[in-house]
Coordinates of all heavy atoms in Angstrom, one line a residue:
L811 N -10.6 -9.6 -15.9 CA -11.2 -9.1 -14.7 C -10.0 -8.9 -13.6 O -9.2 -9.8 -13.4 CB -12.2 -10.0 -14.1 CG -12.8 -9.7 -12.7 CD1 -13.7 -8.4 -12.8 CD2 -13.6 -10.8 -12.2
W831 N -11.3 -0.7 -10.2 CA -12.7 -0.4 -10.5 C -12.9 1.1 -10.7 O -12.4 1.9 -9.9 CB -13.6 -1.0 -9.4 CG -13.6 -2.5 -9.3 CD1 -12.6 -3.2 -8.7 CD2 -14.6 -3.4 -9.8 NE1 -13.0 -4.5 -8.8 CE2 -14.2 -4.7 -9.4 CE3 -15.8 -3.2 -10.4 CZ2 -14.9 -5.8 -9.7 CZ3 -16.6 -4.3 -10.7 CH2 -16.1 -5.6 -10.4
K832 N -13.7 1.5 -11.6 CA -14.2 2.9 -11.7 C -15.2 3.1 -10.7 O -16.1 2.3 -10.5 CB -14.7 3.2 -13.1 CG -13.6 3.3 -14.2 CD -14.2 3.7 -15.5 CE -13.1 3.8 -16.6 NZ -13.6 4.2 -17.9
I877 N -19.7 1.2 -8.6 CA -18.4 0.8 -9.1 C -18.7 0.0 -10.4 O -19.7 -0.7 -10.5 CB -17.7 -0.1 -8.1 CG1 -18.5 -1.3 -7.7 CG2 -17.3 0.7 -6.9 CD1 -17.7 -2.3 -6.8
S878 N -17.7 0.0 -11.3 CA -17.8 -0.7 -12.6 C -16.5 -1.1 -13.1 O -15.5 -0.4 -12.8 CB -18.6 0.1 -13.6 OG -17.8 1.3 -13.9
Q879 N -16.5 -2.1 -13.9 CA -15.2 -2.5 -14.6 C -15.6 -3.1 -15.9 O -16.5 -3.9 -16.0 CB -14.5 -3.5 -13.7 CG -13.1 -3.9 -14.3 CD -12.3 -4.8 -13.4 OE1 -11.3 -5.4 -13.9 NE2 -12.6 -4.9 -12.1
Q880 N -14.8 -2.7 -16.9 CA -14.9 -3.3 -18.3 C -13.8 -4.3 -18.4 O -12.6 -4.1 -18.1 CB -14.7 -2.2 -19.3 CG -14.8 -2.7 -20.7 CD -14.7 -1.6 -21.7 OE1 -15.7 -1.0 -22.1 NE2 -13.5 -1.2 -22.1
F881 N -14.1 -5.5 -19.0 CA -13.1 -6.6 -19.1 C -13.6 -7.5 -20.2 O -14.8 -7.5 -20.6 CB -12.9 -7.3 -17.8 CG -14.1 -7.9 -17.1 CD1 -14.6 -9.1 -17.4 CD2 -14.8 -7.1 -16.2 CE1 -15.8 -9.6 -16.8 CE2 -16.0 -7.6 -15.6 CZ -16.4 -8.8 -15.9
L890 N -19.6 -16.3 -14.7 CA -19.3 -15.1 -14.0 C -20.2 -15.1 -12.7 O -21.4 -15.3 -12.8 CB -19.6 -13.9 -14.9 CG -19.7 -12.5 -14.1 CD1 -18.3 -12.1 -13.6 CD2 -20.2 -11.4 -15.0
S891 N -19.5 -14.9 -11.6 CA -20.3 -15.0 -10.3 C -19.8 -13.9 -9.4 O -18.7 -13.4 -9.5 CB -20.2 -16.3 -9.7 OG -18.9 -16.6 -9.3
F892 N -20.7 -13.5 -8.5 CA -20.4 -12.6 -7.4 C -21.3 -12.7 -6.3 O -22.4 -13.4 -6.4 CB -20.4 -11.1 -7.9 CG -21.7 -10.6 -8.4 CD1 -22.7 -10.1 -7.6 CD2 -22.0 -10.7 -9.8 CE1 -23.9 -9.7 -8.1 CE2 -23.2 -10.3 -10.3 CZ -24.2 -9.8 -9.5
A915 N -27.3 -4.7 -10.1 CA -26.1 -5.1 -10.8 C -26.5 -5.3 -12.3 O -27.4 -6.0 -12.5 CB -25.4 -6.4 -10.2
K916 N -25.7 -4.7 -13.2 CA -26.1 -4.8 -14.6 C -24.9 -5.1 -15.5 O -23.7 -4.8 -15.1 CB -26.7 -3.5 -15.1 CG -28.0 -3.1 -14.4 CD -28.6 -1.8 -14.9 CE -30.0 -1.5 -14.2 NZ -30.6 -0.3 -14.7
I917 N -25.1 -5.7 -16.6 CA -24.1 -5.9 -17.6 C -24.4 -5.0 -18.8 O -25.5 -5.0 -19.3 CB -24.1 -7.4 -18.0 CG1 -23.5 -8.3 -16.9 CG2 -23.2 -7.6 -19.3 CD1 -23.6 -9.8 -17.2
F918 N -23.3 -4.3 -19.3 CA -23.4 -3.5 -20.5 C -22.5 -4.0 -21.6 O -21.5 -4.7 -21.3 CB -23.0 -2.1 -20.2 CG -23.9 -1.4 -19.2 CD1 -23.8 -1.6 -17.8 CD2 -25.0 -0.5 -19.6 CE1 -24.6 -1.0 -16.9 CE2 -25.8 0.1 -18.7 CZ -25.6 -0.2 -17.3
I928 N -28.8 -8.3 -13.5 CA -28.5 -9.6 -12.9 C -28.7 -9.6 -11.4 O -28.5 -10.7 -10.8 CB -27.1 -10.2 -13.3 CG1 -26.0 -9.1 -13.0 CG2 -27.1 -10.6 -14.8 CD1 -24.6 -9.6 -13.4
V963 N -23.7 -16.2 -13.7 CA -24.1 -15.9 -15.0 C -23.4 -16.9 -16.0 O -22.2 -16.9 -15.9 CB -23.8 -14.4 -15.4 CG1 -24.3 -14.2 -16.9 CG2 -24.4 -13.5 -14.5
I973 N -17.4 -6.9 -21.8 CA -18.6 -6.4 -21.1 C -18.2 -5.4 -20.0 O -17.0 -5.3 -19.7 CB -19.4 -7.6 -20.4 CG1 -18.5 -8.2 -19.3 CG2 -19.9 -8.6 -21.4 CD1 -19.3 -9.2 -18.4
T974 N -19.1 -4.6 -19.5 CA -18.9 -3.8 -18.4 C -19.9 -4.3 -17.3 O -21.1 -4.4 -17.5 CB -19.2 -2.3 -18.7 OG1 -18.3 -1.9 -19.6 CG2 -19.1 -1.5 -17.4
L975 N -19.4 -4.6 -16.1 CA -20.2 -5.0 -15.0 C -20.3 -3.9 -14.0 O -19.2 -3.3 -13.6 CB -19.5 -6.2 -14.3 CG -20.2 -6.7 -13.0 CD1 -21.6 -7.2 -13.3 CD2 -19.3 -7.9 -12.4
K976 N -21.5 -3.5 -13.7 CA -21.7 -2.3 -12.9 C -22.6 -2.5 -11.7 O -23.7 -3.1 -11.9 CB -22.2 -1.1 -13.8 CG -22.2 0.2 -13.1 CD -22.4 1.3 -14.1 CE -22.1 2.7 -13.5 NZ -22.3 3.8 -14.6
F977 N -22.2 -2.1 -10.5 CA -23.0 -2.2 -9.3 C -23.4 -0.8 -8.9 O -22.5 0.1 -8.8 CB -22.2 -2.9 -8.2 CG -21.7 -4.3 -8.5 CD1 -20.4 -4.5 -8.9 CD2 -22.6 -5.4 -8.4 CE1 -20.0 -5.8 -9.2 CE2 -22.2 -6.7 -8.7 CZ -20.9 -6.9 -9.1
I993 N -20.2 -6.0 -1.7 CA -20.0 -6.8 -2.9 C -18.6 -7.5 -2.7 O -17.7 -6.9 -2.2 CB -19.9 -5.9 -4.1 CG1 -21.2 -5.1 -4.3 CG2 -19.6 -6.8 -5.4 CD1 -21.0 -3.8 -5.1
V996 N -16.0 -11.4 -6.9 CA -16.4 -11.4 -8.3 C -15.4 -12.3 -9.0 O -14.2 -12.0 -9.0 CB -16.4 -10.0 -8.9 CG1 -16.9 -9.9 -10.3 CG2 -17.2 -9.0 -8.0
V997 N -15.9 -13.3 -9.7 CA -15.0 -14.4 -10.2 C -15.5 -14.8 -11.6 O -16.7 -14.9 -11.8 CB -15.0 -15.6 -9.3 CG1 -14.2 -16.7 -9.9 CG2 -14.5 -15.2 -7.9

Side-chain angles (χ1 to χ4, degrees):
L811 174 68
W831 295 77
K832 291 185 177 180
I877 58 172
S878 64
Q879 185 175 161
Q880 180 178 267
F881 53 88
L890 166 67
S891 63
F892 60 87
K916 296 181 178 181
I917 291 176
F918 296 82
I928 51 178
V963 182
I973 64 169
T974 296
L975 176 62
K976 192 166 191 176
F977 301 97
I993 304 153
V996 184
V997 176

